[in-house]
Amino acid sequence: QLQASGGGLVPYGGSLRLSCTMSVGALNLHAVAWFRQAPGKEREFVAAVGRSSGYTEYADSVKDRFTISKDNAKNTVYLQMNDLKPADTATYYCAAEYTGHRSRTAYFTNQNDYDYWGQGTLVTVSS
């Protein structure tokens, strides 16, 4: 139901844009988040957006460098990543949760609150 793409190898300080497309259902009825998991580490929250694109939250480690956005017409959420660092190397996962019965501002930072997951896309930042 979710297809993540856009990962790759990028040099220190470079940029990438990840995409997460929902193939079944309407993205404008879901909160969406990005999580990442580095080798040997637990999956961690990166960014989230509510049904309304104006409501977002970021992990402190990516604040001011990453931007999450939604294009409801394309049923796609993006994660623009700038000024990438080796510490950003990880497999990035997008996740979605239906929030049509909740406030349009609602989103979640806990991975256990999301029912739908993409397959992950690998981002490698070289030093």
Side-chain angles (χ1 to χ4, degrees):
Q1 187 168 3
L2 293 176
Q3 181 72 36
S5 62
L9 176 64
V10 62
Y12 188 109
S15 297
L16 276 178
R17 188 178 77 162
L18 306 183
S19 300
C20 176
T21 299
M22 177 172 280
S23 59
V24 177
L27 195 63
N28 62 358
L29 295 179
H30 293 75
V32 180
W34 288 94
F35 293 83
R36 67 185 182 186
Q37 187 167 21
K41 295 188 177 181
E42 293 187 353
R43 190 176 299 182
E44 64 176 3
F45 168 76
V46 175
V49 60
R51 286 193 287 126
S52 176
S53 298
Y55 295 90
T56 60
E57 184 168 338
Y58 298 91
D60 288 342
S61 59
V62 307
K63 203 170 291 184
D64 298 326
R65 298 189 298 123
F66 291 11
T67 302
I68 188 169
S69 61
K70 299 176 77 174
D71 185 336
N72 289 327
K74 295 184 177 180
N75 238 21
T76 299
V77 169
Y78 302 101
L79 185 68
Q80 177 66 43
M81 307 185 295
N82 299 327
D83 190 23
L84 283 162
K85 309 175 188 301
D88 296 316
T89 294
T91 298
Y92 284 71
Y93 299 89
C94 60
E97 178 66 15
Y98 176 77
T99 56
H101 57 300
R102 296 176 181 264
S103 167
R104 62 189 174 88
T105 66
Y107 55 77
F108 314 99
T109 61
N110 188 323
Q111 60 182 317
N112 294 323
D113 291 320
Y114 289 92
D115 284 336
Y116 306 106
W117 289 83
Q119 83 285 8
T121 184
L122 178 62
V123 173
T124 303
V125 183
S126 62
S127 57

